[in-house]
Amino acid sequence: MTRITRTMTFMLAGAALPLLAGCGAQDIASPGSGGNITINYPTPTPTPTPTPTPSGPGLVTPATGCPTIADAQGLTDAGTITGPTGEWRVCNLPTQIKASITLPKIAGLLYQMPGRVDVGCDRGPSESAVPASCTIAPVTLSIEPGVVVYGGTGVSWLAVNRGNKINAVGTATAPIIFTSRDNVLGLNSDSSSGQWGGVVLLGRAPTTDCTNAATPGSADCYRQTEGAADPAFFGGATTTDNSGVMQYVQIRYSGYVLGANSELQSLTLGGVGSATTLEHIQSFNSSDDAVEAFGGNVNMKYFIAVGAEDDNLDTDTGVKANMQFVIAVQRESVGDSIIEADSDNAFDGDLPRQNTKIANATFLARSTAIGNGAAILIRGGADYTIVNSVLASPNFACIKLSRAQTASTTVNPAIDEAGAPVFQSFQMQCPSSGAFAGGGTPAVTAEQVQAIFEAGTNNSTNFAPSFTNLFVNGAKETEVPVYDVTKLGSFFTPTSYIGAVKDANDTWYAGWTCNSTTAGFDNVSDANRACTSLPVS
């Protein structure tokens, strides 16, 4: 794989718009295992027939106006929008937020991103190296529980620039929702996707595959966020960098296709540092990945991915990541790998080398269209650990390792090599055609992958899940001995069970999520809890 640096300018309605793409380490969206890629571009949404003004009890009525915010630019009143849940006041965000502001929760009011919205300006790799072009003090965008922010166009996206923060803290009963205009209008189904960009956090933690001529992982190494026509840089040398907080957040219908192999995921983490808090986040129907981390030192707990049309957890360019309590559920007709880690390219020897650790995950690989050839693809010399987890992959091999360096059992600190991937208390349901696959140059064989998997304890390839409610542990999951996650680091919470959800009394996933035909997260039948609807408030 070669690195391609591009500046892409797309014209829409006669104006140049900034673009952003997501996925592999080569400045195009992650294309799976390579080769010819067919992208089904979303059919342009026709102008909807005017919806009659709804009436009846419990429907939303519009707020009288937009609130005053601390940024002198203010919010722009864009009139009202009507959907099945009622009529809402629409307040446009400024294209660049230049002062710390709070978006309050107001009944009958939605916030719209009319295009790319920048939180502050790029403050460089450190406070001692702020570019002269950035004349704005550090900015924090705060969002109150229950707020809905939607992308007004396909190329709408939120960019939290280096040195700035997001403070999006919802609650278990009032999550923050990022979604699309069509979702507001009630035009979506449980298979809709790719209707706006996504949420992008840009930090100062190390990355590799530098856009500039710099030492990988150094303070001078930065990357341009893929596909962005205007600067959207990330990278630095601050492993503990803080891009803010996201808790109890839904990101729906994201990943607009900007061009061939060029699209966003729900959540893009570029050089995000370990002080950033990422907990209780749901991605629903991203047309690309659910989350992709480019470099950085990422800590994430309680993450749910439903219906991603590419990968669920995509990690690249030297990221050091810890993740615990993860549910990933594919739709049957779409979706590539549950996990895609790094890329086989000319830069896969760059340091730092990726090292991702996952505990207590439940992965349901239902897709019949996995282009990577396996539910889990680890390549590019990445180090990886999966413990206390369950994978159901009835259609494709469970694990594929690519490139001999990825399968190396030699620990070598000089090249940041931790040895072969580690699997402990990992129960897998794999197809009879084979649980393992290899590839790359130099190649890894399926037999080598099997030996690495079998070197762990309490692992299986013929597990028969006994889940209830799709992902809640049953008797068979309860029987599996657990691995001591404290051996992986202080981030991980010790548990007495494998998988993401212990039993029926463990309901960390309920209340703040949205429900669909792909996955329901509680027994609430209220239409307000459907991913195709907005809460009436």
Side-chain angles (χ1 to χ4, degrees), residues 50-62 81-88 184-185:
T51 305
T53 301
S55 61
L59 291 176
V60 172
T61 57
I81 188 170
T82 300
T85 53
E87 186 179 5
W88 304 78
V184 177
L185 292 170

Side-chain angles (χ1 to χ4, degrees), residues 174-346:
I176 293 165
I177 300 174
F178 291 93
T179 191
S180 68
R181 183 173 183 270
D182 279 4
N183 196 189
V184 177
L185 292 170
L187 302 177
N188 283 348
S189 70
D190 281 341
S191 60
S192 300
S193 68
Q195 297 174 340
W196 65 291
V199 178
V200 181
L201 306 187
L202 304 170
R204 292 166 160 171
T207 187
T208 63
D209 292 39
C210 315
T211 297
N212 58 332
T215 302
S218 71
D220 295 329
C221 176
Y222 66 83
R223 282 179 58 82
Q224 161 75 350
T225 301
E226 295 177 343
D230 294 329
F233 299 134
F234 63 88
T238 307
T239 59
T240 58
D241 191 46
N242 187 352
S243 293
V245 182
M246 292 183 68
Q247 291 177 313
Y248 294 105
V249 172
Q250 298 175 20
I251 307 175
R252 307 179 182 178
Y253 303 111
S254 62
Y256 187 81
V257 178
L258 304 172
N261 288 334
S262 180
E263 57 198 5
L264 283 174
Q265 38 276 329
S266 287
L267 180 61
T268 300
L269 306 174
V272 169
S274 61
T276 307
T277 300
L278 302 167
E279 295 180 353
H280 294 93
I281 298 173
Q282 180 187 19
S283 163
F284 179 74
N285 279 22
S286 169
S287 67
D288 197 60
D289 302 324
V291 62
E292 183 161 15
F294 295 92
N297 296 69
V298 174
N299 291 327
M300 179 181 286
K301 280 183 177 175
Y302 305 110
F303 179 70
I304 294 174
V306 177
E309 294 180 5
D310 195 3
D311 309 309
N312 290 267
L313 306 177
D314 199 337
T315 46
D316 290 295
T317 63
V319 65
K320 306 290 187 181
N322 298 315
M323 302 181 187
Q324 188 175 22
F325 308 116
V326 178
I327 299 172
V329 185
Q330 291 181 326
R331 307 205 309 268
E332 292 185 0
S333 58
V334 295
D336 204 342
S337 296
I338 295 288
I339 290 172
E340 181 180 88
D342 234 309
S343 304
D344 289 337
N345 66 9

Side-chain angles (χ1 to χ4, degrees), residues 206 208 216-217 239 296-297 317-321 342 348-357 380-384 405-406 408 410-420:
T208 63
T239 59
N297 296 69
T317 63
V319 65
K320 306 290 187 181
D342 234 309
D348 65 15
D350 283 359
L351 305 183
R353 190 180 301 280
Q354 176 179 166
N355 193 339
T356 294
K357 301 174 183 178
D383 295 320
Y384 220 93
Q405 185 67 55
T406 312
S408 173
T410 301
V411 177
N412 185 353
I415 60 170
D416 198 19
E417 173 58 69

Side-chain angles (χ1 to χ4, degrees), residues 393-398 429-435 461:
S393 178
N395 302 314
F396 290 88
C398 285
Q429 181 186 43
C430 307
S432 58
S433 56
T461 60

Side-chain angles (χ1 to χ4, degrees), residues 43-120:
T43 302
T45 302
T47 302
T49 301
T51 305
T53 301
S55 61
L59 291 176
V60 172
T61 57
T64 56
C66 297
T68 300
I69 58 174
D71 192 318
Q73 303 168 98
L75 300 168
T76 304
D77 191 331
T80 63
I81 188 170
T82 300
T85 53
E87 186 179 5
W88 304 78
R89 174 71 53 191
V90 177
C91 299
N92 279 353
L93 297 174
T95 57
Q96 184 179 44
I97 298 171
K98 298 181 179 181
S100 294
I101 64 171
T102 297
L103 301 182
K105 169 60 179 171
I106 297 175
L109 188 147
L110 305 175
Y111 298 93
Q112 178 178 218
M113 293 178 288
R116 170 175 171 171
V117 173
D118 282 276
V119 177

